[in-house]
Amino acid sequence: MSRNRTDRIIRNLLICVLIGAVFYACLGFPPYTVKGMCRQMERDYLLEEPLEPLYSLRDNSRYTNDHARYTFVVARSGDTYLSFQYEQNFLQNWRYYQHVFPQMSNSVLCAGRNGVLYVAGPFGNVASATAQVTVEKTTRIFDPDTGEQWTTRGPDTQTFTFQGEKAGEELFLFRYRSDEPHLWPELVPRAERELEDVVDLWYRSYRKGEEGGASHGWLHDDVPVRVTLYDEAGTALETLNLSVDTYELHNW
């Protein structure tokens, strides 16, 4: 290979690297690794200690195009626990806010995503755990003429109980979906409805005069989650009163 040809190859490679660096900078230096995402969260949330990932999951949503990929992370910085998600589409990668919100807790974290409750905390001496999730029928009515809105609750309530699956020293997973999600919960027999089915049906908003109709929105609301921790002998150690946002329990 001649010297001139070698020089041209090196020059072209350097130009490609430079173009790639400029393009990456134009995208805002998006992180693509879990460690990179954690470093960005450290900066954005002004965390004093490094963010250590406890759990990560990469997948794609069945409800979006095949090019969208998601990375869900549960991590710890000192005594602070966080969960967050990034969405990647080709070379773009940004923090996802639509249904899975960044959650932060200085004690115990509770977050929901795609059929699983994630509960993170200092669980080194905990052998098992159960979670009771209580939902209450909640309806919000909006009056477009006055701009007023009001919320009614009950009388229907239902409690679901789930057994925890320990995923490391500081994380329990509670799977609240037994199989594929039900796309039309209205068609599921009442006795067979799972947690996300009931959340979909019970937490809704309507315009005045359209209560119970087909046109509705979904409510943001806190759903109580009661987690009981047990030691190896099955003795209850502690009961935690937590909550999860209804949007995180939806079948998106």
Side-chain angles (χ1 to χ4, degrees):
M1 182 180 294
S2 67
R3 176 66 180 271
N4 288 340
R5 185 178 180 185
T6 300
D7 290 344
R8 286 198 302 271
I9 291 175
I10 293 175
R11 184 182 68 245
N12 291 339
L13 287 175
L14 291 175
I15 291 173
C16 290
V17 170
L18 179 61
I19 292 174
V22 171
F23 185 69
Y24 183 65
C26 291
L27 291 176
F29 301 101
Y32 295 105
T33 66
V34 171
K35 283 290 188 181
M37 296 172 195
C38 286
R39 285 194 295 270
Q40 190 173 78
M41 293 293 290
E42 291 171 18
R43 295 192 298 269
D44 292 350
Y45 284 81
L46 303 177
L47 300 175
E48 296 182 357
E49 299 186 46
L51 195 56
E52 174 191 357
L54 304 176
Y55 178 91
S56 64
L57 176 66
R58 294 183 185 270
D59 59 10
N60 64 289
S61 172
R62 59 182 294 172
Y63 308 112
T64 62
N65 61 71
D66 293 337
H67 300 292
R69 297 292 183 268
Y70 300 93
T71 303
F72 176 76
V73 180
V74 179
R76 176 177 61 83
S77 171
D79 296 329
T80 300
Y81 294 89
L82 289 91
S83 66
F84 54 90
Q85 179 166 293
Y86 275 75
E87 176 182 350
Q88 181 179 350
N89 199 322
F90 189 49
L91 292 179
Q92 294 180 306
N93 199 35
W94 58 87
R95 197 172 306 147
Y96 184 88
Y97 285 97
Q98 189 172 0
H99 309 306
V100 179
F101 318 106
Q103 303 282 7
M104 178 185 294
S105 174
N106 292 325
S107 54
V108 176
L109 173 79
C110 182
R113 180 191 185 273
N114 195 25
V116 181
L117 277 177
Y118 298 85
V119 178
F123 300 145
N125 64 333
V126 180
S128 61
T130 59
Q132 290 184 317
V133 184
T134 301
V135 290
E136 181 180 23
K137 189 170 185 178
T138 303
T139 304
R140 182 170 299 159
I141 307 299
F142 171 72
D143 188 340
D145 296 328
T146 64
E148 296 180 347
Q149 62 181 16
W150 57 94
T151 301
T152 60
R153 297 184 182 273
D156 297 329
T157 63
Q158 187 171 351
T159 298
F160 296 84
T161 302
F162 308 101
Q163 183 64 44
E165 169 189 332
K166 198 165 187 181
E169 291 297 308
E170 300 175 88
L171 181 66
F172 276 96
L173 278 58
F174 300 89
R175 303 185 186 277
Y176 56 83
R177 180 194 301 151
S178 60
D179 202 349
E180 289 295 314
H182 300 138
L183 299 183
W184 301 101
E186 295 90 344
L187 304 180
V188 179
R190 182 179 294 269
E192 299 176 16
R193 289 174 183 168
E194 298 186 299
L195 173 60
E196 62 186 354
D197 299 325
V198 179
V199 168
D200 184 288
L201 295 171
W202 280 8
Y203 291 84
R204 293 186 171 184
S205 63
Y206 299 93
R207 292 167 65 94
K208 183 180 179 182
E210 299 178 0
E211 296 91 322
S215 178
H216 64 270
W218 285 282
L219 291 181
H220 277 293
D221 203 359
D222 290 331
V223 174
V225 179
R226 186 179 177 88
V227 176
T228 304
L229 309 175
Y230 301 89
D231 62 14
E232 290 284 356
T235 303
L237 298 172
E238 186 180 3
T239 297
L240 308 170
N241 292 310
L242 310 172
S243 65
V244 64
D245 191 283
T246 50
Y247 261 51
E248 297 177 49
L249 299 176
H250 268 302
N251 169 22
W252 298 109

